[in-house]
Amino acid sequence: MQISDLPYADPGRPDARSGPAFLRWLGRGQLGGQARSLAWGLVHFGGVAGLPYAVGLGVDAVVRRDGARLLQVGALLLLLGVAVSVGDAMLHRTAVTNWITAAARVQQLLARKTAELGSALTRRVAAGEVVAVSTGDVEKIGWFVEAVSRFLAAALTVVAICVGLLFYAPAIGVVVAVGVPVLALSVLPLLPRATRRADLQREKAGKATELASDTVAGLRVLRGIGGEELFLGRYREASQEVRRAAVRSARMWALIAAVQVLLPGALLITVIWYGSVLVLDERLAVGELVAAFSAVSTMLYPLRHFQEIAMAYSFSRPSAARAARVLSLTRTDADTETAAAGSGSGSGAVVRPPAPGGDLYDAETGVLAPAGRFTAVVCGDPDLAGRLAERLGGHPMDSAAGARSALLGGVALDELPLDAARELVLVQDKDPVLLSGTLRQLFDVPASGCVTAEDALAAARCDDVLEALLQSAPEAVDDPMDARITERGRSLSGGQRQRLALARSLVTDPEVLVLDEPTSAVDAHTEARIAEGIAALRTGRTTVVLASSPLLLDRADRVVLVHEGRALPAATHRELLRAEPRYRAVVTRETDEEQRRAGIGLAGPAGELTEIEESA
């Protein structure tokens, strides 16, 4: 594959059982690129290895005063020089191509996994680790993939030099053939300790990155409570630990580098001494000694790649393990079971999407959203509402504990392919994200085509947002759809961002739309108008809103109160206000004293209402 062909149309299904298994899978996917890199590496290193023999032949020609042979040696040196230059350029080109394509494949796999898991990713893997995998770890994995072909070319070249010396100058070749394996294997006893220190350094660096990520994410809160210095001190301490670990790791790698300088130097001295003795005894020609000396000196260059491959593998193995850990995550446990069943005998059952018009039902709470109706769900616990929204979208947060997603038309959403589940149900969480770009690009999302962007913006009451965008974006001229939105919509207020996100959700027009607190950042007047817009635009479509605002609840066809994890009988908002004290306590936000007078209970430590016994 060429760099111009990136990204991959399909990066494939990785072997994420372990770090080494993932590296092997990457290598198998780039056999063609590795073969090209190996071929050019052999040309380059072959030219380097041939120079000592050419020099030796030249010395012999001078000693024998053979002009014709000297011209032939000159032509050979020219040919070897071209091979060294061209081979080096093409080796670099193909090796870097392998690096970039491997890194791009890993990036695509991580992006696909992020899109598949959504918000569940950062609940199962620390945010700092995700950042480390998608940045530094990708580069280290690419480094190892790139270094493999150069190492193989260097290893073959070293073998060729040793074999050539055995035939060209057997007396000195034996010494080289025995000494080179010692050089190549001399660093192996040091590698485990170097690897452990490098792993410790990366572990501490990951924790520091995670701490920095959490600090930046909560900077506004930290400033509000005056906790900046506390977290800054923690980050300084974490940074110093990373520095100390990096120094200890660098010392070990410096020792390995010193060994690889000292031992080759010792071999070179041995070759010169022993070769001089052989020349004095007339058992070795001067040209042969020069060739042997030059060959050993030249061999130091390919031998350096032995250290590089050891370093590349030591650094890439834990990086690959982290990447494999992220890539092995599945949407739910059911995904893993289905994949295992399908790969075992090939007879895994294929779950068909439900027929249109089915009811949405959550077995965990008993919440039922009839097809084509506007259902509002009231939860006193915001965390419970978030978990319910995830299950309704087919992404149960606690699937490891046995929780399952909701059923749509009797079919579990988490058993459907991800694309099918998302086409059927769209969930907008409490904090939707607006990507940078124009407003037109923001609304360029998969949609049924039945709802236009203008209708969605009108239903979300975005008139003032469009006016603000026109005023702040001169490039838009008269069309606000050409106005640019900054990263995460930072140029807009919280209410404006929330309404644009709502309009984006409405324009998709899914069969089931789940909205979690879609109007929490707008004023009461705008909220009432938005409630009317949602009800009108979603007529005949299944809509579920998780909220406690009376203005939204009053527009719903039916309202369900989830109390202590179970759904109570549904009714309209006004009916529940009159007949259900627990509902009234959540919606009207009654005080403890008011609840006590009503005789329904007090808020316990967990925020749940407990029944109060009537006094005797």
Side-chain angles (χ1 to χ4, degrees), residues 202-536:
R202 282 186 292 272
E203 179 183 350
K204 291 185 177 297
K207 291 181 178 178
T209 303
E210 182 179 348
L211 180 60
S213 174
D214 293 342
T215 303
V216 171
L219 189 58
R220 182 176 299 177
V221 177
L222 290 176
R223 286 175 175 171
I225 63 176
E228 300 140 284
E229 288 301 324
L230 174 63
F231 273 80
L232 186 58
R234 290 181 180 177
Y235 183 71
R236 285 198 189 102
E237 182 179 351
S239 298
Q240 289 303 313
E241 290 183 2
V242 173
R243 182 188 63 80
R244 287 190 289 269
V247 170
R248 293 183 72 245
S249 178
R251 285 173 180 167
M252 183 55 64
W253 288 111
L255 176 60
I256 292 175
V259 169
Q260 290 207 325
V261 171
L262 178 63
L263 293 184
L267 176 63
L268 193 60
I269 293 174
T270 302
V271 168
I272 295 174
W273 171 78
Y274 184 59
S276 300
V277 172
L278 294 177
V279 170
L280 292 176
D281 292 344
E282 297 183 353
R283 294 164 55 192
L284 187 71
V286 175
E288 293 175 339
L289 175 60
V290 172
F293 170 76
S294 301
V296 174
S297 301
T298 303
M299 199 183 301
L300 302 182
Y301 170 54
L303 278 175
R304 285 201 293 267
H305 291 79
F306 285 68
Q307 178 189 358
E308 182 189 7
I309 195 65
M311 291 183 64
Y313 181 73
S314 298
F315 279 93
S316 66
R317 182 182 53 80
S319 296
R322 278 196 293 267
R325 184 162 59 249
V326 173
L327 295 174
S328 65
L329 297 176
T330 55
R331 191 160 53 109
T332 63
D333 290 345
D335 290 352
T336 306
E337 296 169 4
T338 302
S343 61
S345 61
S347 59
V350 178
V351 180
R352 296 182 179 276
D359 296 339
L360 184 65
Y361 176 70
D362 177 49
E364 294 287 325
T365 59
V367 170
L368 174 66
R373 304 286 297 280
F374 183 179
T375 302
V377 180
V378 178
C379 299
D381 182 2
D383 291 335
L384 176 61
R387 292 194 297 270
L388 175 59
E390 293 289 339
R391 289 197 302 272
L392 293 178
H395 303 277
M397 297 182 183
D398 47 1
S399 60
R404 299 301 300 272
S405 73
L407 304 176
L408 181 61
V411 178
L413 290 171
D414 60 356
E415 294 181 357
L416 293 173
L418 181 62
D419 293 343
R422 286 186 171 169
E423 185 177 347
L424 293 169
V425 182
L426 173 66
V427 178
Q428 177 180 305
D429 59 18
K430 291 185 179 69
D431 301 308
V433 176
L434 300 182
L435 302 178
S436 59
T438 65
L439 192 58
R440 196 182 310 280
Q441 292 172 332
L442 179 68
F443 285 89
D444 185 16
V445 293
S448 66
C450 299
V451 177
T452 64
E454 291 74 15
D455 293 338
L457 289 166
R461 306 307 184 218
C462 295
D463 299 342
D464 61 319
V465 183
L466 299 180
E467 293 177 4
L469 287 174
L470 275 177
Q471 293 175 1
S472 62
E475 71 276 3
V477 191
D478 296 327
D479 190 354
M481 298 299 290
D482 294 328
R484 294 197 65 81
I485 299 173
T486 57
E487 181 185 2
R488 301 181 70 90
R490 299 186 191 279
S491 60
L492 303 172
S493 68
Q496 290 173 331
R497 288 196 299 269
Q498 196 173 56
R499 281 179 283 165
L500 283 180
L502 174 60
R504 179 181 58 186
S505 299
L506 292 173
V507 82
T508 60
D509 190 37
E511 181 176 336
V512 179
L513 177 61
V514 180
L515 304 172
D516 189 2
E517 295 288 356
T519 58
S520 58
V522 301
D523 59 82
H525 175 68
T526 305
E527 185 177 30
R529 297 173 59 217
I530 291 175
E532 294 177 0
I534 294 175

Side-chain angles (χ1 to χ4, degrees), residues 114 124 136 147 246 264 283 314 341 439 454 468 531 553 558 584-585 603 614:
T114 301
R124 300 168 69 179
R283 294 164 55 192
S314 298
L439 192 58
E454 291 74 15
L553 300 174
R558 57 199 304 276
R584 186 168 59 249
E614 294 184 357

Side-chain angles (χ1 to χ4, degrees), residues 556-578:
D557 298 327
R558 57 199 304 276
V559 181
V560 180
L561 172 65
V562 178
H563 178 65
E564 296 183 349
R566 295 302 300 174
L568 301 183
T572 65
H573 168 62
R574 297 177 188 271
E575 290 171 348
L576 288 174
L577 277 179
R578 288 192 300 268

Side-chain angles (χ1 to χ4, degrees), residues 166-183:
L166 286 174
F167 284 97
Y168 183 74
I172 203 73
V174 172
V175 176
V176 175
V178 172
V180 167
V182 175
L183 296 182

